[in-house]
Amino acid sequence: MYLTNGTSQWVVQMSEALLQERDHQAKWHGIPVMLQRLYDSSHLNSDLSQIHSIIKEVASFLSMEAMSFVTEERRTAQESTSPNTYTFDLFGGVDLLVEILMRPTLTTQTNFPKMSDDLVKDCLSVLYNCCICMEGVTKSLASRDDFVMFLFTLMSNKKTFLQTATLIEDILGVRKEMIQLEGIPNLPSLVQSFNQQQLANFCRILSVTITEPDLGNDDKHTLLAKNAQQKTNLCPSHSEVNQVALLNIPGFIERLCKLATRKVSEASGASSLLLELQDWYTLLDNALVLDTLMQMATEDAEQSSTESPDESSLVTSPLRHSLPQSMKIVHEIMYKVEVLYVLCVLLIGRQRNQVHRMLAEFKLIPGLNNLFDKLIWRKQTSTHVLHGQNQNCDCSPEISFKIHFLRLLQSFSDHHENKYLLLNAQELNELSAISLKANIPEVEALVNTDRNLICDGKKGLLTRLLSVMKKEPAESSFRFWQARAVESFLRGSTSYADQVFLLKRGLLEHILFCIIDSGCKSRDVLQSYFDLLGELMKFNIDSFKRFNKYVNTEEKFQTFMTQINSSLVDSNMLVRCIILSLDRFESQTDDVRVVEVLSECSLLSYMVRVENRLTILFRLVNIINVQTLTQENVSCLNTSLVVLMLARRQSKLSLYLNALREKEYTEKYPGCLLNNFHNLLCFWQRHYLNKDKDSTCLENSSCILFTYWKETVSVLLDSDRTSLCAIASYIDEAYMDLGRDFLEV
């Protein structure tokens, strides 16, 4: 037998006596001798029972190190904390096990003994334990394409599936190059052979293959870098190709929808559950699962009994009876976390419309609605709601489940007509009645909604989400995702009926309470509430009336404005909505209600003053530059453009540009601000004029034709220094072209 590892070649040539003599001094615990015996026994027609016996003996030395490694703080010097694993790999043990496993694929001989499932499982377990203790082993296995593809063939065997899936997940996590799913032998038939539990576990592997790796470098996330990358990578990425491969598997999405929406009572029985959990624990995968189960069982016991049993009476307490059900719930939650993640990634990919049609057809949304109270948001616990460093960690299944659920709702609703599937029939009728009362046409997407695919029951999914959102503690990190999910329902072309539907449920007052009165300090949560408030108030006179009713003192108004001004990156979308709304209201002064709100609303009175708009404009332009633009802060550039577009409509563009010039000289850095803005607008042209989706979003959200956006940018970038609407006219000759070199990237 040929071994690729040079060390193992050397070992097999050493005498057993020499190895034993050196063993005691080096504290090898007999591992090299065992490997030599294993090598001598590893031939095509050798006794597999003898091989299995040696592997079991080796495994006993390695499993305890792996257990200690995942339960203790990981150190850099891995070989010093896992000496047995280090010795096993040093003397070629890893390569030898790979050779033993892959032997059937390396020979044309057909009459050799077949390896038992238990032998395969033990080989896989030893390899996984080595991966846990030594990252080098994981990387080495990941570099072997033949071995990775071979592992996928082992997944067709139900008895070795879990061990194989766990090892594959670990290996794929460190691969430099993403695996191509199309290269897996017979992928469609393999996936179709999985039962539902196997399919859910397979989703853990899929998550690595359909998501672009995070390079961990902030510079890579700038729009400048992304645009440059898109120019060089004209072909679809590996993850995009893998997504298409999955969608081409017959019945794949339908089965994921069934997994995501099945009830706990429909899952596997307790006996099979216990066996699988035992396997998980043995493999050290989700090692904290038992702690989580015990915690949940304790909570169940506390709810069902007012007495606190001591340790001696634990066996007769409600805990003993509630544990199996709690285990089933967590088991099902852990499955659904993986499934929801895969569905969410597919939903935001290039095949979004195809995925949307499938999710609607297979009734994902009404299915999740039926699970909402009993599983998704079944209870509130003090250990899960407070924001902390472990809030989003993988070792908290319920938290991960809720976040993935909210992200899925956000992706499902965002700029898509299927968003009305989140409502039930009564709520759809309510939207129609709102439009009728306001004497405005119903939104086309609402009219076209297939009522066979909507939510059933007393409440739709959106309404249920609003209910738990209003009960969430102030510092809960769930608030961020909840607000994002609700905001996505409002995004796109503004719908008066959608806004009123949410206003009637007290959403605006709840948001204002969180911003002004709750003491919330989280910037992420506040940003999500600013964005949601902007969508809720945009062009809606009722919203501004309600705002004025809630913010009824100067103290409240100043608190609100302090929150806005503390970070314009977070609040600029709200500022943009206020400015756009004010512009529309000023054209509707024949309406008594509008005139009343214009005269009474403190927020509109603040924004109508030019000096306040100029202050906002100066800050927006000053906090960004071409090199730091990202998907998160590019909104600041677009908000500054909205301010100037509206100024141009009113023939006041020169006034604003001159004010920026005066501000430069006051701050003693002439040319810097306007040159920066000029560079930003040059980038804006390159970025948006080649992106249909982004331009459509700008037009729909602002109700300003994209042609006017383009015209305004062109006017501002005019090189004619005699034009009073061109930025160049306000930059002295000596300060022209500051920082222009960055645009050549």
Side-chain angles (χ1 to χ4, degrees):
M1 177 194 224
Y2 175 72
L3 295 177
T4 57
N5 186 296
T7 304
S8 56
Q9 284 282 347
W10 169 70
V11 169
V12 297
Q13 295 173 9
M14 295 177 64
S15 68
E16 185 170 332
L18 181 59
L19 287 175
Q20 288 178 339
E21 179 182 340
R22 178 74 176 124
D23 186 275
H24 180 71
Q25 182 180 356
K27 296 181 180 180
W28 287 337
H29 298 101
I31 291 176
V33 174
M34 284 185 276
L35 286 176
Q36 189 179 57
R37 286 164 43 208
L38 183 60
Y39 173 80
D40 293 338
S41 304
S42 299
H43 301 287
L44 282 175
N45 297 308
S46 58
D47 183 0
L48 293 179
S49 62
Q50 185 177 357
I51 293 176
H52 198 180
S53 176
I54 298 172
I55 290 175
K56 282 184 175 180
E57 190 175 356
V58 172
S60 64
F61 284 95
L62 306 184
S63 59
M64 292 306 297
E65 284 188 348
M67 179 71 73
S68 299
F69 195 81
V70 297
T71 54
E72 297 177 4
E73 182 180 357
R74 300 189 177 201
R75 301 177 179 87
T76 304
Q78 295 182 350
E79 63 273 12
S80 65
T81 58
S82 307
N84 293 335
T85 305
Y86 177 73
T87 302
F88 180 78
D89 179 52
L90 178 66
F91 287 97
V94 171
D95 289 323
L96 184 52
L97 285 191
V98 170
E99 298 284 353
I100 292 173
L101 281 170
M102 293 187 66
R103 182 184 298 133
T105 67
L106 302 175
T107 179
T108 57
Q109 183 176 332
T110 57
N111 59 347
F112 54 83
K114 183 180 179 182
M115 294 177 64
S116 68
D117 293 336
D118 287 338
L119 174 54
V120 174
K121 286 170 65 174
D122 284 340
C123 286
L124 293 171
S125 296
V126 170
L127 289 176
Y128 182 65
N129 286 339
C130 291
C131 289
I132 288 176
C133 296
M134 296 183 63
E135 187 180 6
V137 172
T138 315
K139 291 181 177 179
S140 175
L141 294 177
S143 67
R144 295 192 54 173
D145 291 342
D146 59 338
F147 181 62
V148 174
M149 290 301 173
F150 168 75
L151 286 177
F152 279 99
T153 66
L154 295 182
M155 297 185 78
S156 60
N157 185 340
K158 186 174 183 179
K159 293 183 179 179
T160 61
F161 174 88
L162 193 62
Q163 286 77 8
T164 308
T166 309
L167 182 58
I168 291 176
E169 182 189 1
D170 214 47
I171 289 175
L172 294 187
V174 300
R175 268 181 71 96
K176 292 183 178 179
E177 186 175 343
M178 185 177 293
I179 190 174
Q180 292 295 280
L181 294 179
E182 290 179 332
I184 298 174
N186 304 313
L187 176 65
S189 58
L190 175 66
V191 174
Q192 289 173 327
S193 71
F194 294 156
N195 60 32
Q196 290 296 77
Q197 283 74 19
Q198 290 172 323
L199 183 60
N201 280 312
F202 188 58
C203 284
R204 291 174 63 89
I205 295 171
L206 293 180
S207 64
V208 183
T209 68
I210 61 177
T211 309
E212 286 298 325
D214 186 356
L215 300 176
N217 187 340
D218 290 340
D219 292 340
K220 298 293 184 181
H221 299 296
T222 65
L223 294 182
L224 201 62
K226 287 184 177 180
N227 287 353
Q229 187 178 23
Q230 287 175 354
K231 288 181 180 179
T232 57
N233 300 335
L234 300 178
C235 298
S237 66
H238 288 339
S239 63
E240 290 168 341
V241 173
N242 285 340
Q243 291 175 26
V244 173
L246 291 178
L247 293 175
N248 288 335
I249 298 176
F252 177 71
I253 295 296
E254 182 178 9
R255 291 186 66 191
L256 290 192
C257 288
K258 288 181 178 179
L259 260 174
T261 59
R262 75 176 181 182
K263 299 176 182 177
V264 178
S265 58
E266 298 169 351
S268 58
S271 58
S272 63
L273 167 65
L274 287 169
L275 288 174
E276 188 160 0
L277 284 175
Q278 184 179 6
D279 273 340
W280 274 349
Y281 191 69
T282 301
L283 286 165
L284 306 175
D285 185 43
N286 297 312
L288 296 179
V289 64
L290 297 182
D291 289 341
T292 304
L293 296 173
M294 289 300 295
Q295 178 186 4
M296 294 181 62
T298 303
E299 292 167 357
D300 289 348
E302 290 173 350
Q303 290 180 0
S304 58
S305 174
T306 56
E307 298 181 1
S308 300
D310 58 25
E311 196 169 341
S312 62
S313 64
L314 191 61
V315 291
T316 60
S317 74
L319 172 60
R320 180 175 179 272
H321 303 288
S322 64
L323 184 56
Q325 181 63 14
S326 291
M327 290 173 71
K328 290 183 70 174
I329 290 173
V330 171
H331 187 243
E332 190 65 19
I333 284 175
M334 294 173 76
Y335 277 163
K336 292 186 188 305
V337 166
E338 312 303 339
V339 173
L340 290 183
Y341 179 82
V342 170
L343 288 176
C344 189
V345 172
L346 293 175
L347 196 53
I348 60 177
R350 286 194 178 187
Q351 314 301 317
R352 185 188 185 204
N353 289 333
Q354 178 188 355
V355 176
H356 243 294
R357 287 194 299 270
M358 291 180 172
L359 299 188
E361 178 186 352
F362 301 130
K363 298 187 175 182
L364 174 68
I365 296 302
L368 292 175
N369 186 49
N370 292 334
L371 289 179
F372 190 87
D373 290 331
K374 293 184 178 179
L375 185 65
I376 300 174
W377 232 275
R378 64 192 188 98
K379 62 183 176 182
Q380 302 285 357
T381 61
S382 58
T383 54
H384 283 178
V385 297
L386 295 179
H387 183 72
Q389 61 179 355
N390 294 323
Q391 186 68 37
N392 299 336
C393 63
D394 291 336
C395 56
S396 182
E398 277 203 294
I399 291 174
S400 296
F401 182 40
K402 289 178 180 178
I403 290 175
H404 284 311
F405 164 74
L406 293 171
R407 292 181 68 179
L408 180 71
L409 289 194
Q410 176 188 359
S411 302
F412 188 87
S413 301
D414 194 20
H415 292 90
H416 203 282
E417 59 186 18
N418 276 350
K419 69 180 185 178
Y420 291 110
L421 298 182
L422 271 65
L423 308 181
N424 64 15
Q426 182 180 351
E427 291 162 349
L428 290 178
N429 293 337
E430 183 180 341
L431 284 177
S432 300
I434 292 170
S435 297
L436 180 64
K437 183 178 180 181
N439 195 28
I440 57 176
E442 289 185 73
V443 176
E444 185 178 355
L446 175 61
V447 176
N448 295 335
T449 298
D450 186 345
R451 297 205 171 205
N452 293 316
L453 305 177
I454 63 175
C455 295
D456 50 16
K458 295 181 179 179
K459 293 181 179 180
L461 197 50
L462 179 64
T463 306
R464 293 183 190 277
L465 176 58
L466 288 173
S467 297
V468 299
M469 179 180 177
K470 291 162 71 173
K471 298 175 184 176
E472 204 69 38
E475 288 298 319
S476 168
S477 63
F478 290 135
R479 281 191 178 278
F480 171 82
W481 296 107
Q482 290 166 341
R484 283 281 178 256
V486 177
E487 182 211 348
S488 68
F489 182 81
L490 292 172
R491 290 183 69 186
S493 299
T494 304
S495 167
Y496 174 79
D498 293 353
Q499 291 173 323
V500 173
F501 179 85
L502 297 175
L503 286 174
K504 290 170 65 176
R505 284 155 177 80
L507 180 59
L508 184 136
E509 289 79 8
H510 167 71
I511 297 172
L512 292 175
F513 171 80
C514 293
I515 295 174
I516 299 173
D517 299 317
S518 71
C520 177
K521 303 297 183 184
S522 168
R523 297 311 314 176
D524 288 339
V525 172
L526 286 172
Q527 180 187 12
S528 67
Y529 272 80
F530 286 139
D531 292 347
L532 175 55
L533 184 61
E535 293 295 336
L536 191 60
M537 296 183 69
K538 187 166 52 180
F539 307 135
N540 192 304
I541 201 71
D542 299 324
S543 294
F544 281 89
K545 287 185 70 174
R546 284 175 174 257
F547 176 92
N548 218 41
K549 185 176 180 180
Y550 188 93
V551 186
N552 54 7
T553 66
E554 180 64 19
E555 182 183 3
K556 279 190 173 183
F557 180 71
Q558 290 303 324
T559 301
F560 181 78
M561 293 308 301
T562 298
Q563 291 280 43
I564 285 182
N565 289 319
S566 62
S567 177
L568 273 181
V569 172
D570 298 330
S571 62
N572 82 89
M573 291 296 292
L574 171 60
V575 171
R576 187 194 307 180
C577 291
I578 298 168
I579 292 173
L580 287 167
S581 300
L582 175 60
D583 180 71
R584 175 172 294 190
F585 295 157
E586 288 177 332
S587 67
Q588 298 173 337
T589 51
D590 54 337
D591 187 328
V592 177
R593 294 170 64 245
V594 172
V595 173
E596 180 183 340
V597 171
L598 282 172
S599 62
E600 295 179 358
C601 182
S602 52
L603 190 57
L604 294 175
S605 298
Y606 176 89
M607 207 59 71
V608 79
R609 292 195 285 274
V610 174
E611 62 270 25
N612 290 334
R613 291 199 197 193
L614 282 170
T615 300
I616 291 171
L617 177 63
F618 172 78
R619 290 185 59 199
L620 287 172
V621 176
N622 207 34
I623 58 180
I624 52 175
N625 58 60
V626 173
Q627 301 89 279
T628 60
L629 273 183
T630 65
Q631 200 63 48
E632 285 68 42
N633 64 22
V634 71
S635 58
C636 293
L637 175 56
N638 290 322
T639 298
S640 66
L641 260 177
V642 166
V643 174
L644 294 178
M645 281 191 294
L646 298 183
R648 182 182 170 217
R649 275 185 183 175
Q650 299 169 357
S651 301
K652 295 180 179 178
L653 189 53
S654 59
L655 183 151
Y656 280 71
L657 293 176
N658 190 59
L660 290 179
R661 183 179 187 276
E662 290 179 357
K663 184 70 173 177
E664 282 185 333
Y665 277 87
T666 301
E667 300 291 336
K668 296 188 177 1
Y669 52 91
C672 290
L673 182 67
L674 288 171
N675 267 295
N676 181 49
F677 192 43
H678 192 281
N679 293 342
L680 285 166
L681 293 180
C682 288
F683 176 82
W684 187 96
Q685 283 185 321
R686 298 184 183 188
H687 181 73
Y688 282 101
L689 298 189
N690 296 316
K691 291 179 174 290
D692 293 336
K693 181 182 177 182
D694 283 346
S695 62
T696 301
C697 290
L698 288 177
E699 184 172 303
N700 289 340
S701 64
S702 65
C703 290
I704 298 175
L705 292 176
F706 189 63
T707 53
Y708 195 75
W709 286 78
K710 292 191 293 184
E711 289 172 8
T712 303
V713 173
S714 296
V715 167
L716 288 166
L717 293 179
D718 194 341
S719 58
D720 182 3
R721 292 176 60 81
T722 63
S723 171
L724 294 180
C725 294
I727 294 176
S729 302
Y730 298 88
I731 305 176
D732 291 342
E733 192 75 39
Y735 304 116
M736 288 293 293
D737 298 329
L738 287 176
R740 195 67 53 86
D741 292 342
F742 289 110
L743 285 174
E744 303 304 320
V745 177

